[in-house]
Amino acid sequence: VLVALLLLAVNAVRAAARRAQSANNVRQISMAIDQYRDEHQHFPPAYTVDQEGRPLHSWRVLILPYLGPEAQALHASIDLDQPWYSPANLAYGNEMPPVFACPADFGLAPNETSYCVVEGPGFLFDGSNTVTNEALDTEGKGAAGTLMLLQTRDAMINWMEPKDIQAANLAQGINGGICGSYHPGGAFGAYADGSIEFLQDNLPPETLVD
């Protein structure tokens, strides 16, 4: 009995540590997005495109310079003029910075991310378009009420891939589809003002979409 209780206590401590690390990951990513915004005067696009409008790279690649020296060096090595899946860039897929992986997601591949932005028309990230603070305020919602970043599970998205959460995914709620995590009870999200929140899996889906 004592051994079982000890194992339960150890597992609880480990789960709490994983949850804290995931919250820190979301915070670091949110801060990097904010630093990008400060430098460029707008949020990063969901993805970059070539002259024909074909998607090239995810926002995750664009914020690398704000995630520390190793991520900066990785950014300098990637050919931003070629798509993420090109022979010149594909090798960098397995060099994903640890900040993009949730420590509670044990089945995650080395090149798969646990964190996505909410992307599409009417959201903060909309294809190759960019959104300024002024445009955000004009919509009447403000940064505090705009969900920007959310955890995913079983999404199988390469961190360099221009693919993220869509409105249809949000409509499934937390842990009802790819929006969610392996933390018991919910998943971490970040808002445009930099606030971090653990979103419970019993949260009505419409509160995520609105």
Side-chain angles (χ1 to χ4, degrees):
V1 174
L2 289 176
V3 172
L5 290 174
L6 180 60
L7 287 175
L8 286 173
V10 170
N11 288 337
V13 169
R14 289 175 175 171
R18 290 191 290 268
R19 177 166 163 156
Q21 181 59 56
S22 187
N24 188 55
N25 287 350
V26 172
R27 187 171 292 106
Q28 287 187 60
I29 295 170
S30 179
M31 290 174 61
I33 292 175
D34 198 50
Q35 288 177 304
Y36 180 102
R37 181 183 61 177
D38 285 345
E39 181 172 339
H40 297 274
Q41 302 303 306
H42 57 72
F43 287 89
Y47 51 80
T48 57
V49 295
D50 62 16
Q51 292 182 345
E52 283 73 42
R54 293 172 295 198
L56 294 174
H57 291 280
S58 164
W59 61 272
R60 286 173 285 267
V61 173
L62 300 181
I63 68 168
L64 287 176
Y66 312 99
L67 290 173
E70 291 185 8
Q72 290 174 5
L74 178 58
H75 183 267
S77 301
I78 296 172
D79 189 342
L80 298 178
D81 294 324
Q82 296 190 44
W84 67 277
Y85 55 82
S86 69
N89 289 323
L90 201 56
Y92 298 114
N94 287 335
E95 296 185 31
M96 182 180 77
V99 72
F100 291 131
C102 174
D105 194 348
F106 300 116
L108 205 64
N111 61 3
E112 290 177 358
T113 183
S114 304
Y115 308 100
C116 288
V117 296
V118 182
E119 191 266 326
F123 291 98
L124 186 59
F125 293 82
D126 181 14
S128 60
N129 300 315
T130 56
V131 176
T132 64
N133 284 339
E134 291 76 13
L136 189 64
D137 292 335
T138 300
E139 294 176 1
K141 196 171 186 180
T146 304
L147 184 62
M148 176 178 69
L149 184 75
L150 188 59
Q151 281 191 269
T152 61
R153 68 176 191 178
D154 303 325
M156 294 183 291
I157 297 175
N158 186 297
W159 75 278
M160 300 175 72
E161 185 178 2
K163 184 178 180 181
D164 283 280
I165 293 169
Q166 307 295 312
N169 303 129
L170 290 176
Q172 296 175 315
I174 301 296
N175 290 337
I178 67 169
C179 299
S181 78
Y182 284 96
H183 303 299
F188 286 102
Y191 289 82
D193 65 349
S195 60
I196 310 299
E197 186 175 342
F198 188 74
L199 303 171
Q200 302 288 335
D201 53 17
N202 60 0
L203 193 68
E206 56 268 21
T207 64
L208 300 173
V209 177
D210 291 341

